[in-house]
Amino acid sequence: MRSAQKNDESIGRRSARYERQRARIIDAAVLLVNEKGVGGMTLQEVARALDLTTTSVTYYYRYKEQLAAEVFEDTLVRLGSMIAAAAREATPQERVARYVEIFFDQFVEASRGRDRPLAILSEIRTLEEATRQHLIEHYQEVFRAVRGLFGDTCVERDKRLNSVRAQFLNEALFWAALWLRRYPLGDIKNVRRRTLDILAHGISASRASLECDVLDMDEADSIDPKQNFLRAASRLINDIGYKGASIDRIVSELKLTKGSFYHHLGAKDDLIQACYSEDYVRLTRLQAIVDRFEGNVIDRLTRAIFSVLAIQFEGRHPLLRTTALQAMPPAVRQVAIERYDRHALALSGMLVDGMVDGSVRTLDPVIAGNIIISTLNSAYDMRGWAKRQRREDAIRTYANILLRGLFG
């Protein structure tokens, strides 16, 4: 009897050691995925980060794909737990506030090394089909749980509205994980309060539903092959990620040769830089056009938001998703992030002017600028949702959640 008890204790200790080492491997892997993307997270890199041999890592995970899937599964499980905790609150407003609070608290704990960071989930699309499909289904469960924070979805109209609310909220939080790094950890509680205020109540000082014409930002089909490469690349990268959007895939979609590609662009990295440069030019041009219109800041900003949503929902030449950032080479990624920062600063200045003329609520303009960017950028993922209704209705619903808030 005593021998059997000792044997059980020995097995328990071995099991505990196994789980501790496995957890250490996931800790190292999630940091590498967030820094370099799945492509940059190799078993050798994980082993080096832990001062182990590669064989010690392959004992737990034979293939990189297996470890990457475990990293994303871990994040999805923890997100599900966070949402479940928020769902215990009584009202939609309290549930959303609790979800934001838990998300920000987790960021602080991870930044202090007391918790594992959440993985950047956009990298799921870089995995093989069989692995990716399971994780996407799991994310859809998480998305439905966030949607449930807003209440019943038995009526189709409510389901459509709550789907946009869930997308808006999730994308604002996921993008916040990038810009929150600029703040002292001791100030995060105040940042969270200001973020929640913008999410809940929006940007506009007016409670009325906002309407305006859509400016046509989308060009006709170009005879310039380079422009067509940029369009195809933006769509493919948004759909299947930086890694999946190979040069072969891009030229196949356009029914052109690789020689034609290399005649206009030197390499894939040149193509991605050109895509981001084109987005920057398009948005700068839109801002210049909008600035020529009369009216207060919120009127001009609404016109710009409606116009960007139109091209995102149409999907022919969308803005390149920020989800492509992690898989890019560091130099390319840095250029793209700097351009997003410039747009956020420009929006911040515009919002300050709006507070002066009274059309914009008193709010934190830097946070609001980042929320505008995350909302417009992620709208591309809601094309299916938008196509199930009139384009005008889809744009109005999406824009008004940003302008008037989740509960406006």
Side-chain angles (χ1 to χ4, degrees):
M1 188 75 165
R2 189 174 298 168
S3 175
Q5 185 178 356
K6 285 182 178 179
N7 189 49
D8 289 344
E9 289 172 356
S10 176
I11 292 171
R13 284 194 295 271
R14 286 199 301 274
S15 177
R17 281 197 302 271
Y18 179 92
E19 288 303 319
R20 281 196 301 271
Q21 188 71 310
R22 178 177 160 278
R24 289 184 68 225
I25 291 170
I26 296 175
D27 288 343
V30 72
L31 291 174
L32 286 168
V33 166
N34 286 353
E35 179 187 351
K36 301 181 177 182
V38 169
M41 187 277 292
T42 65
L43 298 181
Q44 291 84 354
E45 286 275 355
V46 172
R48 192 175 300 119
L50 296 172
D51 199 22
L52 297 172
T53 64
T54 305
T55 307
S56 299
V57 175
T58 56
Y59 174 76
Y60 296 85
Y61 298 99
R62 287 190 64 189
Y63 306 107
K64 182 179 85 168
E65 184 99 350
Q66 183 186 12
L67 176 55
E70 187 78 7
V71 165
F72 295 127
E73 186 70 27
D74 169 77
T75 288
L76 290 168
V77 167
R78 288 189 292 144
L79 275 173
S81 297
M82 293 160 64
I83 298 160
R88 290 195 283 269
E89 301 296 329
T91 67
Q93 288 86 345
E94 290 170 335
R95 291 193 284 268
V96 168
R98 182 66 179 135
Y99 180 35
V100 173
E101 180 183 23
I102 294 170
F103 191 96
F104 274 59
D105 286 349
Q106 198 283 328
F107 173 84
V108 171
E109 290 299 293
S111 299
R112 288 177 170 155
R114 297 200 289 247
D115 195 5
R116 179 182 298 152
L118 296 172
I120 296 173
L121 295 173
S122 61
E123 283 292 280
I124 287 175
R125 69 188 67 200
T126 67
L127 300 176
E128 298 297 327
E129 173 65 26
T131 307
R132 182 173 71 239
Q133 189 56 40
H134 165 73
L135 292 167
I136 287 174
E137 288 171 1
H138 193 165
Y139 177 75
Q140 288 168 344
E141 291 175 14
V142 169
F143 180 86
R144 286 192 290 270
V146 175
R147 187 173 65 192
L149 298 178
F150 295 97
D152 245 347
T153 55
C154 297
V155 178
E156 183 59 29
R157 183 186 63 181
D158 292 340
K159 184 177 180 179
R160 284 202 303 265
L161 177 59
N162 290 342
S163 292
V164 179
R165 286 168 164 164
Q167 174 78 354
F168 172 72
L169 176 57
N170 262 356
E171 290 295 330
L173 293 179
F174 295 159
W175 183 244
L178 295 177
W179 56 259
L180 277 174
R181 300 169 188 171
R182 301 169 193 157
Y183 290 88
L185 292 180
D187 194 38
I188 294 297
K189 186 177 290 187
N190 293 322
V191 175
R192 184 192 76 213
R193 173 176 49 78
R194 297 195 294 268
T195 301
L196 181 60
D197 172 68
I198 296 165
L199 293 174
H201 304 296
I203 294 164
S204 173
S206 169
R207 294 294 86 197
S209 180
L210 297 162
E211 304 279 351
C212 74
D213 297 329
V214 170
L215 299 173
D216 186 8
M217 283 178 62
D218 226 351
E219 314 88 350
D221 287 332
S222 175
I223 60 172
D224 179 2
K226 182 176 178 180
Q227 285 294 320
N228 292 329
F229 281 129
L230 298 185
R231 289 179 181 172
S234 294
R235 289 194 302 268
L236 285 170
I237 293 169
N238 284 355
D239 290 339
I240 58 178
Y242 177 80
K243 180 182 173 184
S246 64
I247 293 173
D248 286 337
R249 187 105 180 228
I250 293 167
V251 298
S252 173
E253 176 162 312
L254 294 173
K255 297 180 174 56
L256 294 172
T257 65
K258 288 178 77 171
S260 175
F261 175 90
Y262 288 117
H263 176 73
H264 296 280
L265 295 151
K268 186 176 175 183
D269 288 354
D270 297 331
L271 173 65
I272 305 308
Q273 285 183 316
C275 285
Y276 273 115
S277 295
E278 179 73 3
D279 285 355
Y280 185 74
V281 168
R282 292 166 78 197
L283 290 174
T284 302
R285 187 169 63 239
L286 173 66
Q287 185 173 347
I289 294 170
V290 166
D291 284 344
R292 292 200 291 269
F293 281 91
E294 294 183 359
N296 58 36
V297 165
I298 206 67
D299 289 340
R300 288 184 278 120
L301 185 59
T302 299
R303 192 179 295 275
I305 289 169
F306 272 51
S307 301
V308 174
L309 288 176
I311 68 164
Q312 294 293 75
F313 289 157
E314 197 276 336
R316 193 164 59 92
H317 188 183
L319 301 177
L320 199 62
R321 285 285 274 122
T322 55
T323 52
L325 288 172
Q326 295 312 115
M328 292 177 181
V332 180
R333 185 192 318 155
Q334 189 57 39
V335 170
I337 289 173
E338 286 172 3
R339 284 181 172 146
Y340 281 121
D341 286 342
R342 286 178 206 158
H343 283 306
L345 286 172
L347 285 167
S348 298
M350 194 174 183
L351 291 167
V352 170
D353 290 342
M355 284 185 268
V356 172
D357 74 22
S359 64
V360 172
R361 295 175 55 246
T362 301
L363 44 70
D364 186 316
V366 174
I367 296 174
N370 277 288
I371 290 175
I372 292 171
I373 286 172
S374 70
T375 304
L376 296 181
N377 193 267
S378 65
Y380 177 78
D381 294 341
M382 298 296 281
R383 297 181 323 284
W385 169 88
K387 286 175 181 174
R388 292 193 291 272
Q389 55 198 299
R390 292 194 315 153
R391 188 184 80 151
E392 295 79 6
D393 293 338
I395 292 171
R396 187 187 308 111
T397 300
Y398 213 99
N400 274 282
I401 286 176
L402 172 59
L403 294 163
R404 299 173 64 217
L406 288 167
F407 306 107

